[in-house]
Structure formats: structure tokens, C-alpha cells
Amino acid sequence: MKKKVLVTGGAGFLGSHLCERLLSEGDDVICVDNFFTGSKENIAHLMGNPFFEVLRHDVTFPLYIEVDQIYNLACPASPIHYQFDPVQTTKTSVHGAINMLGLAKRTKARILQASTSEVYGDPELHPQPESYWGKVNPIGIRSCYDEGKRCAETLFFDYYRQHKVDIRVARIFNTYGPRMNVCDGRVVSNFVVQALQEKDITLYGDGSQTRSFCYVDDLIEGLVRLMNTENLTGPVNLGSCGEFTMRELAEKVVAIAGSNSGITFEPLPMDDPKQRRPDITLAMEKLAWEPAIALDAGLNKTIEYFKKYLANPESLSGS
């Protein structure tokens, strides 16, 4: 039986890939987005599908539709965008969670929250397991996102305990790939665009801080498996176990892009985590999931996308 699936933030980087995947599996997909960071270009290639529809809607307001599953991805996810209007960012995480959980409660839909590794803050435990509570500054410039996502997790588990809502919580670590916003300020897109434009790569601090990088197709596979696994609320970490310094990433991007870019250094932003890598034992055991695409292979695909985008931004609908 065809499922009716709602994807909030469905025109964003992750959301558009998720909508595409769900349609390929025969689902009836409703994409909800206010297009603050989402893009119509990301989903234009899906518009001709009779089982795909788009609603321009802000999740801070209630939504009254009938659905079987909800993927709640709505929220700016890059520091440039979520710090642009921090109050609205917090509202999107908190009010958005309340409204989507209310919809799930009424329709008896299963609902998945796209949470984040940012709930761990600047971690004192490495790698980070789901049992770690985190070290988060509640009053810093990143707090609108970090604490908004933490509060959303609280709401999900309270709706689960109090109202028996069928929840799933995924903690998403750094993800990259085609359809990343060229101006979003995230490290992979920053480095790739700078390298392709032969500009110096900007590193913050001394470049020794580490991250793990998961290719978008692997991440989407993890989300779909979590949504469709019984008796597993999460939270479940989804991300790559490969850990790289920012300098190592910059050097890889320059080499793969065939660029002559050098490296410049800027001060480290406030509350920027020094280390970030998931413990994915739970995902491996319960979802039989782990990333399959190595960083070099994923960067090759991402760099090819950005080459085409920078040459002709109008040409990449659906790439």
C-alpha cells in the first residue's frame, strides 16, 4: 500500500534527496518548505511526478493534512543561515517540533526528527555515543541551533512517553554532496567553491580540529532504515567514522579539484567544536547501516556537481 509521507524542509539539501528516494520507492510524497534555505531548483525535476506535491508553509504554524509518516527536517542547518535570525531558528526547532508532533499524534503517523551532532556541543567524550549528554553553551551564538535541536529531542520523547506518539530520532553528523547550498558556509562547500575558483582555502584556528564526513546517499539510507525499523525510538547517530582534520580535508579538495589554491588562516569562531566523530555502533547493530562511500569518492561527485553549478547555475535541477 502506498504510504503518504510528509517531508518538512523537503526542498533543502537533505530533504530533496530524501523526497527523491521516497518517490523511487513508490511513496506519495508531500514536500513542505518555506524556502528560506530550501530551493525550488532542488526539487524541480520531481514536479512532474503525480505522487509529489509541494506546500509553501512554515512549520512554526500548524499544518492540517493526513499522512502516514513524517520526516521533520525543517531548520536552517549552517551557521550563516541559522545565525541570520536566531530567534526564528529556535522557533523552527521548538514550535516546528510541537506542530509536527501534534500532527503525528492526531493522524497516528510515525515521525522522525532530524536532530544533529550539535546536541553534543564541544564534546569531552570522543567519539560520541548516543548516551553522552553533551557539553553545550546555552547562551552562545550557536545556541539557537544547538539548544533548539536539544529541546526538540526533549519534546519528541515527552510526546512518546505522554501521548504514545511513534517517534524516531536521528542525530545527523556532517553530511555533504550535490545540492549543498553554494553560500551556506559549510566546510565542504566552502572548500570546494574556493578551490574551483582558485581562491585560497580558509581554515579557522590552526586547522587541527576534526570532523567526519558522510556522503548524502549514505545518510538518506540511514534515515529511511531508521524510519522503517520497528521498536527503535533512537536517538541513533548517523555519520561517518572516518575522522579528518580541516587541513587534511582542504588538501584533499585541492588535490581532487586540480586547484592551485593556497591556505589562509582565520580565528576560530566562538564555540566551534574541536572534535566531532560519531560512535555508530547502535546504527550498525539495529539498522545494519554504515556508510559505504569513501570520502575521496564522495568529494569527486560533489566537486563535479559544483563545477557544473558554477559554470551554469540554472542547469542543475535534480543533479
Side-chain angles (χ1 to χ4, degrees):
M1 181 177 173
K2 189 180 288 289
K3 296 192 299 288
K4 183 171 284 190
V5 185
L6 169 64
V7 180
T8 72
F13 163 49
L14 293 182
S16 63
H17 284 278
L18 178 59
C19 287
E20 194 171 63
R21 167 67 183 269
L22 296 171
L23 286 167
S24 75
E25 295 191 348
D27 291 330
D28 189 344
V29 178
I30 303 169
C31 165
V32 165
D33 210 296
N34 68 353
F35 296 101
F36 172 58
T37 57
S39 165
K40 288 182 180 178
E41 284 77 14
N42 286 341
I43 53 171
H45 64 298
L46 304 177
M47 295 295 196
N49 190 316
F51 298 105
F52 180 70
E53 60 183 301
V54 181
L55 297 177
R56 181 186 287 270
H57 180 82
D58 190 319
V59 296
T60 61
F61 297 93
L63 183 62
Y64 301 101
I65 57 176
E66 303 302 316
V67 291
D68 303 306
Q69 291 183 342
I70 303 167
Y71 288 85
N72 186 37
L73 276 61
C75 191
S78 73
I80 286 176
H81 290 141
Y82 68 63
Q83 290 170 12
F84 174 77
D85 188 345
V87 172
Q88 186 63 26
T89 296
T90 305
K91 285 183 176 179
T92 300
S93 285
V94 177
H95 292 186
I98 290 169
N99 288 328
M100 291 304 107
L101 285 161
L103 176 62
K105 178 186 171 188
R106 181 182 65 79
T107 60
K108 296 182 170 51
R110 179 174 293 173
I111 180 169
L112 183 148
Q113 167 68 3
S115 191
T116 171
S117 61
E118 300 296 342
V119 301
Y120 298 121
D122 189 4
E124 299 165 303
L125 185 61
H126 190 76
Q128 295 80 56
E130 292 87 352
S131 57
Y132 177 54
W133 291 355
K135 178 193 171 192
V136 178
N137 178 359
I139 58 170
I141 60 172
R142 301 169 66 102
S143 306
C144 58
Y145 184 72
D146 301 2
E147 294 287 34
K149 289 288 192 176
R150 284 165 68 93
C151 186
E153 286 197 15
T154 300
L155 286 161
F156 264 68
F157 278 89
D158 283 338
Y159 267 78
Y160 167 68
R161 287 182 288 254
Q162 185 174 343
H163 299 300
K164 311 304 181 201
V165 172
D166 189 5
I167 68 163
R168 302 288 183 273
V169 175
R171 289 180 178 162
I172 299 171
F173 283 67
N174 281 46
T175 304
Y176 70 99
R179 296 188 213 145
M180 293 186 83
N181 188 320
V182 70
C183 300
D184 72 1
R186 293 195 233 193
V187 63
V188 173
S189 53
N190 268 5
F191 287 4
V192 169
V193 171
Q194 288 173 333
L196 291 175
Q197 294 178 338
E198 300 287 348
K199 296 178 179 178
D200 285 349
I201 304 291
T202 306
L203 287 180
Y204 294 94
D206 61 5
S208 65
Q209 64 271 40
T210 66
R211 297 290 186 274
S212 62
F213 301 98
C214 184
Y215 189 68
V216 61
D217 291 356
D218 284 331
L219 189 281
I220 296 302
E221 177 67 28
L223 291 178
V224 171
R225 288 194 191 193
L226 177 56
M227 173 64 92
N228 294 298
T229 296
E230 299 300 322
N231 304 313
L232 181 64
T233 59
V236 176
N237 287 338
L238 295 176
S240 171
C241 291
E243 186 175 3
F244 299 88
T245 68
M246 295 298 95
R247 182 154 200 149
E248 287 172 329
L249 177 67
E251 290 168 351
K252 276 184 178 290
V253 169
V254 168
I256 293 170
S259 172
N260 295 309
S261 295
I263 292 177
T264 59
F265 295 87
E266 298 286 344
L268 198 64
M270 179 182 181
D271 297 327
D272 194 61
K274 291 180 286 295
Q275 289 182 301
R276 188 65 68 65
R277 173 164 64 91
D279 180 334
I280 62 168
T281 303
L282 184 61
M284 292 170 69
E285 290 179 351
K286 299 294 186 181
L287 305 179
W289 177 90
E290 61 182 311
I293 300 171
L295 181 60
D296 283 26
L299 286 176
N300 265 301
K301 295 180 180 184
T302 305
I303 287 168
E304 283 306 307
Y305 168 83
F306 276 104
K307 276 183 183 175
K308 294 176 184 175
Y309 179 89
L310 293 172
N312 183 6
E314 304 301 317
S315 70
L316 281 185
S317 173
S319 294

